[in-house]
Every structure is written in C-alpha cells, then in structure tokens.
Amino acid sequence: MTVKQTVSIQNKLGMHARPAMKLFELVQSFDADVLLRNEAGTEAEANSVIALLMLDSAKGGKIEVEASGPQEAEALQAVVELFASRFDEE
C-alpha cells in the first residue's frame, strides 16, 4: 500500500540544500520509500539530496509526498511535520 499527502513549502527559501539534507536524514530512519512530486510533475526520491534539489520548489509551492513500505505511515507523518515546521529555519 502507498500513502500520500500534499504539503506546502512554508520556509522562505524553499527547497534548498539545508532542507534537502534534513529531509534526506529524516527518511533514512524509516523502513519506507519516500517520493516527492512538485506541481510540474518532477519527482524526486527522498533518499537523494541531489534529486530533492532538482525539485526547484519555492515558498508557497505544493509538494505531494508519497510513502510506501513497512513504515510508510510513520515516514509520511514525519515528513509532513518537517514541512510544517518550516525545516526549523524560521
């Protein structure tokens, strides 16, 4: 099964190196595959910082987060909370 949720980018600089690294480190702690998709349809696996940077998503953008695997629900919830916390940048 796969779980999905759409989140908004709220930190003022959008998806840049620091948030990408935080997201990468977060998903490493779960037994789940996490995929992000921006409004243009570009997809990035959360286990690749480079791929996350390719999302090129600015503040106000929407990202669909999709998780699958044994800890998919936990991984999705943690990623949603990280976006909601503005990646602890503000």
Side-chain angles (χ1 to χ4, degrees):
M1 193 172 125
T2 299
V3 292
K4 297 180 187 180
Q5 186 168 338
T6 300
V7 295
S8 295
I9 297 178
Q10 300 176 37
N11 57 313
K12 65 182 176 182
L13 296 176
M15 183 60 72
H16 60 96
R18 241 182 333 254
M21 193 65 191
K22 279 190 171 217
L23 183 55
F24 167 81
E25 290 172 349
L26 176 68
V27 299
Q28 298 304 305
S29 63
F30 295 98
D31 184 10
D33 294 319
V34 178
L35 181 75
L36 281 72
R37 188 176 299 108
N38 69 11
E39 294 167 301
T42 303
E43 294 182 348
E45 292 189 20
N47 63 358
S48 169
V49 174
I50 300 297
L52 291 171
L53 292 173
M54 299 300 282
L55 287 174
D56 192 30
S57 297
K59 182 177 181 177
K62 303 280 188 211
I63 298 284
E64 182 181 61
V65 182
E66 182 178 305
S68 60
Q71 291 186 301
E72 62 192 22
E74 297 90 338
L76 179 64
Q77 183 62 36
V79 171
V80 168
E81 289 174 5
L82 183 62
F83 272 88
S85 74
R86 298 182 171 133
F87 296 92
D88 300 322
E89 290 191 332
E90 298 160 9

